[in-house]
């Protein structure tokens, strides 16, 4: 009996304690503290390790690794490749971002069915492998500065197309990328919105993807990030590695020039 | 070799055509731009030329529909629910579920909700600051009507407003807009405490 | 933040948060010695009891709970505890408003610091407790963590 | 097949700090999938670490531990070059062991 009373009292104490919060921080300070606490132990590390193993593993009909894949700095060079993508590739005669370039390599080097991979839903099958690969590849450029090439006419054109697309308002809510990402110091709910049109916002935003997304519990590539932006913009569905998504990558990447890559980062 | 404006326009329209497809609710017709979206896309954030801006605002003002029953103020508690919800119209949303207003994404509204955005101005004390003590009174009519119009079609007052056209674009129902009106203007709403 | 806020959010993620911590019906082949009763407890008192406490835990300043005041996302909240109470052998974390309150418990052998941290899910704003066993007594520290809604909400 | 853990063990003086990241779904058992079907519970129930065969940590987890779990602890007596071995067991009886060399 006595014991019951004690246990009941404990419950009461808990109720009494709860409203007495310690000195209130501002919301922004609170969020900053939350993020700082998580900084150590980013699950993106798990994907980086898996991606490195995948890069070196012989796979596909050709039973080959990706170690001969040219990400723009020569066959097999991973370090520094991420901060120069998207860029023009001579062999495909196209401007490609990291994901579309990986598709090319998985096709040419490994003989995988990349049309099927591009159609696979995010987080499943080979798409899951791509997300690990981009975590590894971007991680190899961590701390390096963005410096996208803009010498080729196609690269210049894609930059201009990306800029147009960034400002294109459409859909039932009249949203464009610029609706949320063209002014400094704006928030959606509690999330800071980087101004992607110039530094430092551009590299803060563009330079943290791929990232481990806490709300999704998964590593998201830039392709997946852009796909969800378009979903929230209420646009129709952008194809995987489609021209619009690559052009946006060029626009944001060029705007990030000189900014430091922190990918794969940890995001809400 | 810098691309010409013509090159850019052509490449952009080709990229848009080749890149998107229908998914769920979200069909390709969503990429057809009306005059406002056309002009505001092209201006890339810069102010529109005066005459063009005015013409767009006038055309949008004509679309504003007031309720047949003349009642503009609903239930603020329902309005709070609409303001909280960011659902609706994405390709993962069902076509039959009620849409939300996503209001807190961009605005501070009730003081108790800490998680609010700052893309739009704070709406805390919206009615109180405008001296609305009785939203049905004649004296309140100008601000009440303006607020209805702003919610129905924001481009009626600002050609390139960043706010969705909740009535005009069938995002919210007439009843939902009445409820959001109450959230903003009812003296009993937490917004006006 | 009200619970309904979570229930109103759409998509699998929101559902995951709302349902963050229910318990499965059966653990036919789980880890040996897993304290099912403790993980079915609904509050601090029940958790302590299921862990072997014979009297109610006592609040202690010598048990330091690290938890953020605000969580940007309830899926991942870093919490830690350091016990400066002599002879601490166990540290646990309890989230009052999760469907099953006990999140994790750590047995700390001699030679290991009585300082652990981990990431937990929180379904909604709640009091979070660190619970430490020292000798045959249980001590606790408490902090309120607010879980906020984030992003576009769709 | 589960993915390898990421184990970091760093010695500073007499104290070794261990950080462990585990690739695991930590499915609560209450979440529904897109089709409305309940996703069965699947979570790590126990995780333990040893150094030179001596237990330095043993924990029990419930489904409220986050997906891709993280754990940090520290212990005394080890030196660089020693091994830390971590093992987890989930509610399906699946098991995994990885090791790291203290740096």
């Amino acid at each position: 009996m006595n014991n019951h009373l004690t246990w009941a009292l404990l419950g009461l104490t808990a109720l009494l304690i709860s409203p007495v919060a310690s000195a209130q921080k501002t919301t922004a300070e609170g969020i900053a503290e939350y993020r700082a606490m998580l900084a150590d132990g980013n699950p993106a590390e798990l994907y980086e390790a898996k991606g490195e193993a995948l890069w070196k593993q012989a796979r596909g009909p050709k039973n080959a690794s990706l170690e001969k894949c040219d990400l723009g700095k020569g066959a097999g060079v991973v370090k520094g490749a991420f901060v120069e993508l998207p860029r023009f590739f001579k062999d495909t005669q196209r401007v490609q971002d990291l994901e579309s370039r990986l598709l090319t390599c998985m096709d040419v080097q490994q003989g995988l069915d990349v049309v099927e991979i591009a159609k696979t839903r995010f987080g499943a099958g080979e798409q899951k492998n791509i997300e690990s690969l981009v975590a590894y590849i971007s991680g190899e450029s961590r701390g390096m500065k963005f410096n996208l090439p803009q010498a080729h006419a196609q690269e210049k054109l894609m930059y201009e197309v990306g800029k147009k697309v960034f400002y294109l308002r459409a859909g039932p809510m009249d949203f464009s990328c610029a609706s949320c990402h063209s002014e400094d110091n704006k928030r959606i709910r509690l999330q800071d919105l980087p101004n992607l049109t110039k530094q430092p916002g551009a590299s803060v935003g563009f330079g943290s993807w791929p990232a481990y997304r806490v709300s999704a519990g998964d590593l998201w590539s830039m392709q997946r990030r852009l796909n969800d932006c378009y979903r929230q913009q209420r646009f129709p569905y952008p194809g995987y590695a489609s021209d619009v998504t690559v052009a946006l990558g060029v626009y944001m990447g060029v705007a990030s020039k000189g900014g430091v890559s922190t990918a794969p980062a940890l995001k809400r | 070799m810098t691309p010409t404006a013509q090159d850019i326009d052509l490449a952009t329209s080709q990229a848009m055509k080749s890149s998107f497809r229908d998914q769920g609710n979200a069909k390709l017709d969503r990429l057809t731009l009306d005059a406002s979206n056309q002009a505001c896309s092209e201006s890339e954030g810069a102010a529109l030329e005066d005459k063009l801006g005015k013409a767009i605002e006038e055309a949008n003002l004509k679309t504003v529909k007031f309720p047949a029953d003349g009642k503009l103020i609903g239930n603020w508690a329902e309005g709070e629910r609409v303001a909280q919800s960011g659902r609706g119209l994405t390709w993962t949303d069902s076509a039959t579920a009620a849409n939300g207003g996503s209001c807190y994404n961009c605005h501070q509204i009730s003081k108790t909700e800490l998680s609010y955005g700052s893309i739009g101005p704070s709406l805390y004390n919206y009615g109180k600051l405008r001296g609305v003590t009785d939203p049905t009174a004649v004296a309140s009519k100008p601000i009440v009507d303006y607020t209805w119009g702003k919610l129905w079609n924001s481009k009626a007052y600002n050609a390139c407003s960043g706010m969705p056209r909740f009535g005009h674009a069938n995002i919210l129902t007439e009843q939902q807009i009445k409820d959001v009106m109450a959230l903003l203007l009812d003296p009993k709403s937490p917004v006006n405490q | 933040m009200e619970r309904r806020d979570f229930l109103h959010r759409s998509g699998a993620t929101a559902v995951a948060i709302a349902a963050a911590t229910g318990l499965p019906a059966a653990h036919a082949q789980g880890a040996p010695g897993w304290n099912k009763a403790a993980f079915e407890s609904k509050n601090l008192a029940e958790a302590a009891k299921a862990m072997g406490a014979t009297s109610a835990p006592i609040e202690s300043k010598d048990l330091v709970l690290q938890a953020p005041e605000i969580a940007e996302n309830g899926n991942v909240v870093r919490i830690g505890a350091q016990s400066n109470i002599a002879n601490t052998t166990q540290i646990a974390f309890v989230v009052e408003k999760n469907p099953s309150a006990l999140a994790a418990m750590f047995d700390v052998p001699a030679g290991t610091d009585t300082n652990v941290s981990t990431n937990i899910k929180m379904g909604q704003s709640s009091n979070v407790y660190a619970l430490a066993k020292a000798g045959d007594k249980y001590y606790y520290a408490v902090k309120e963590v607010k879980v906020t809604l984030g992003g576009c909400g769709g | 097949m589960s993915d390898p853990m990421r184990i970091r063990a760093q010695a500073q003086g007499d104290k070794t700090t261990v950080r462990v990241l585990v690739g695991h779904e930590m499915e609560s058992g209450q979440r529904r999938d897109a089709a409305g079907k309940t996703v069965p519970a699947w979570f790590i129930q126990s995780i333990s670490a040893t150094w030179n065969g001596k237990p330095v940590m043993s924990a029990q987890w419930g489904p409220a531990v986050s997906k891709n779990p993280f754990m940090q602890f520290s212990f005394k007596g080890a030196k660089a070059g020693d091994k830390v071995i971590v093992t987890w067991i989930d509610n399906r009886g699946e098991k995994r062991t990885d090791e790291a060399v203290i740096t």
Side-chain angles (χ1 to χ4, degrees):
Chain A
M1 285 307 125
N2 222 346
N3 215 14
H4 266 136
L5 183 65
T6 325
W7 290 103
L9 276 174
L10 176 69
L12 185 65
T13 326
L15 281 176
L16 289 174
I17 288 161
S18 57
V20 192
S22 54
Q24 284 276 319
K25 292 188 177 72
T26 67
T27 304
E29 282 167 356
I31 295 286
E33 177 200 38
Y34 165 85
R35 290 182 191 158
M37 289 175 87
L38 287 180
D40 192 12
N42 182 353
E45 271 185 46
L46 293 164
Y47 294 78
E48 285 179 65
K50 195 175 174 189
E52 182 173 8
L54 276 165
W55 180 260
K56 294 171 179 167
Q57 186 191 336
R59 299 194 318 130
K62 295 188 179 173
N63 196 33
S65 78
L66 288 166
E67 287 165 299
K68 287 193 178 119
C69 176
D70 181 0
L71 295 170
K73 302 195 63 91
V77 180
V78 178
K79 200 167 183 59
F82 177 70
V83 288
E84 295 180 14
L85 287 168
R87 73 188 301 156
F88 180 79
F89 286 89
K90 225 171 167 178
D91 55 356
T92 55
Q93 287 293 301
R94 294 182 57 195
V95 175
Q96 295 182 292
D97 66 355
L98 176 53
E99 291 88 316
S100 56
R101 189 60 190 170
L102 273 175
L103 287 181
T104 298
C105 289
M106 290 165 99
D107 174 14
V108 175
Q109 312 287 335
Q110 300 182 309
L112 291 164
D113 183 351
V114 295
V115 176
E116 203 48 45
I117 295 171
K119 279 195 267 183
T120 304
R121 73 178 168 83
F122 289 109
E126 283 294 334
Q127 277 290 344
K128 209 169 172 61
N129 289 336
I130 289 187
E131 278 158 9
S132 293
L133 285 164
V134 299
Y136 161 62
I137 294 163
S138 62
E140 289 291 297
S141 292
R142 193 184 274 112
M144 296 174 77
K145 287 180 178 168
F146 284 102
N147 187 21
L148 271 64
Q150 277 283 288
H152 196 278
Q154 284 289 332
E155 291 168 343
K156 286 181 188 149
L157 183 62
M158 282 300 254
Y159 170 83
E160 296 294 342
V161 169
K163 189 176 182 193
K164 283 262 172 206
V165 169
F166 186 84
Y167 283 100
L168 194 121
R169 297 165 67 131
M173 295 200 179
D174 308 327
F175 289 153
S176 67
C177 308
S179 301
C180 288
H181 293 291
S182 62
E183 283 183 80
D184 295 340
N185 305 318
K186 295 290 183 190
R187 294 189 339 217
I188 195 156
R189 288 279 186 170
L190 281 176
Q191 274 63 55
D192 297 322
L193 296 166
N195 180 350
L196 299 174
T197 66
K198 60 183 173 69
Q199 279 297 75
S203 66
V204 167
F206 181 76
S208 50
W209 298 92
Y212 184 79
R213 194 160 156 98
V214 166
S215 54
D218 212 351
L219 194 290
W220 279 20
S221 62
M222 178 53 88
Q223 280 291 326
R224 193 166 179 183
R225 169 67 280 197
L226 288 176
N227 183 276
D228 199 58
C229 282
Y230 271 128
R231 187 181 69 84
Q232 297 283 8
Q233 268 176 246
R234 276 77 182 174
F235 272 46
Y237 196 95
Y240 190 82
S242 57
D243 285 348
V244 156
T245 59
V246 174
L248 280 170
V250 176
Y251 175 64
M252 294 185 289
V254 169
S256 299
K257 191 178 172 76
V260 170
S261 174
T262 55
L266 183 80
K267 302 292 264 184
R268 180 189 65 82
Chain B
M1 211 173 61
T2 311
T4 66
Q6 212 178 355
D7 294 339
I8 297 164
D9 284 345
L10 181 67
T12 304
S13 85
Q14 281 172 348
M16 289 299 293
K17 271 202 193 84
S18 69
S19 295
F20 289 93
R21 63 170 166 81
D22 290 349
Q23 176 91 353
N25 289 323
K27 305 279 196 265
L28 286 172
D29 62 10
R30 292 187 175 187
L31 298 178
T32 308
L33 310 190
D34 75 342
S36 165
N37 280 341
Q38 187 75 49
C40 301
S41 297
E42 278 169 16
S43 77
E44 296 184 357
L48 295 186
E49 182 214 327
D50 241 20
K51 221 174 104 184
L52 176 60
K54 285 269 174 326
I56 288 170
E57 287 165 14
E58 272 168 33
N60 279 284
L61 188 58
K62 283 189 190 133
T63 71
V64 177
K65 278 196 207 110
F66 284 85
D69 63 5
K71 291 199 182 89
L72 273 63
I73 309 293
N75 174 334
W76 64 259
E78 287 300 321
E80 170 72 14
R81 272 189 266 282
V82 174
Q84 286 282 359
S85 169
R87 297 180 68 168
L89 298 168
T90 74
W91 66 64
T92 49
D93 287 308
S94 105
T96 50
N99 298 327
S102 307
C103 311
Y104 280 100
N105 286 6
C106 300
H107 298 280
Q108 181 181 32
I109 312 176
S110 291
K111 204 72 185 220
T112 48
E113 179 53 87
L114 296 177
S115 180
Y116 60 85
S118 65
I119 299 170
S122 170
L123 301 175
Y124 178 63
N125 275 349
Y126 179 88
K128 195 177 179 183
L129 288 172
R130 288 160 181 79
V132 179
T133 50
D134 174 7
T136 60
V138 179
S140 306
K141 194 170 161 40
I143 188 65
V144 170
D145 284 1
Y146 162 78
T147 307
W148 182 273
K150 183 80 183 176
L151 287 169
W152 192 275
N153 188 338
S154 59
K155 275 71 175 178
Y157 307 97
N158 173 359
C160 292
S161 166
M163 187 163 123
R165 295 175 271 193
F166 292 103
H168 180 60
N170 290 315
I171 299 164
L172 298 179
T173 64
E174 187 183 88
Q175 185 57 50
Q176 285 179 307
I177 296 176
K178 287 181 178 188
D179 294 336
V180 174
M181 288 286 286
L183 180 67
L184 295 174
L185 292 161
D186 189 330
K188 291 191 289 295
S189 158
V191 168
N192 296 314
Q193 302 311 311
Chain C
M1 198 90 27
E2 299 289 328
R3 179 163 186 82
R4 63 174 168 80
D5 293 338
F6 286 91
L7 300 177
H8 275 212
R9 297 196 64 196
S10 67
T13 315
V15 178
I17 299 172
T21 50
L23 281 171
H27 317 281
Q29 55 206 338
W34 190 68
N35 191 338
K36 184 168 183 274
F39 284 101
E40 279 172 353
S41 60
K42 297 291 172 208
N43 54 46
L44 178 72
E46 280 181 31
K49 207 174 184 177
M51 284 162 63
T54 50
S55 61
I58 305 156
E59 187 166 19
S60 171
K61 294 245 176 315
D62 295 321
L63 178 60
V64 182
L65 168 64
Q66 296 120 24
E69 282 185 16
I70 298 178
E72 192 175 19
N73 192 290
N75 277 339
V76 179
V77 183
R78 175 69 52 85
I79 50 167
Q82 177 169 344
S83 173
N84 301 319
I85 305 164
N87 303 317
T88 298
T89 53
Q90 199 171 49
I91 294 175
F93 297 104
V94 174
V95 182
E96 194 164 65
K97 291 192 181 165
N98 273 357
S100 67
L102 179 64
M105 53 181 169
F106 299 82
D107 286 327
V108 188
T112 294
D113 298 329
T114 49
N115 184 351
V116 295
S117 57
T118 189
N119 290 343
I120 58 160
K121 302 174 210 166
M122 290 182 64
Q124 59 182 315
S125 298
S126 170
N127 276 341
V128 173
Y129 296 89
L131 181 64
K133 181 188 182 188
D136 57 358
K137 291 230 166 17
Y138 284 74
Y139 302 87
Y140 74 90
V142 61
K143 196 170 172 187
E144 191 195 10
V145 177
K146 289 195 206 84
V147 178
T148 62
L149 284 176
C152 311
Chain D
M1 253 299 282
S2 51
D3 292 326
M5 284 178 251
R6 296 281 288 170
I7 305 165
R8 281 223 180 109
Q10 283 168 309
Q12 200 164 30
D14 191 37
K15 177 172 151 175
T16 298
T17 301
V18 184
R19 297 178 183 84
V20 184
L21 269 170
V22 190
H24 201 284
E25 289 296 319
M26 300 302 287
E27 192 63 63
S28 70
Q30 292 198 344
R31 202 172 61 90
R32 287 171 195 282
D33 64 13
K37 263 180 56 185
T38 305
V39 183
W42 181 27
F43 60 95
I44 292 173
Q45 289 185 322
S46 84
I47 182 162
S48 56
T50 58
W51 156 66
N52 286 351
K54 177 186 177 293
V56 287
M57 171 56 67
S58 92
Q60 291 184 40
W61 287 353
V65 170
S66 302
K67 179 174 176 177
N68 295 322
F70 171 81
M71 161 173 86
Q72 181 176 326
F73 64 93
S74 53
F75 65 95
K76 292 195 173 58
K79 57 183 190 305
D82 290 356
K83 264 184 201 166
V84 172
I85 298 172
V86 182
T87 299
W88 57 254
I89 305 170
D90 68 22
N91 65 318
R92 296 182 182 171
E94 203 176 317
K95 214 181 255 197
R96 180 167 186 108
T97 300
D98 291 290
E99 58 179 49
V101 175
I102 299 173
T103 55

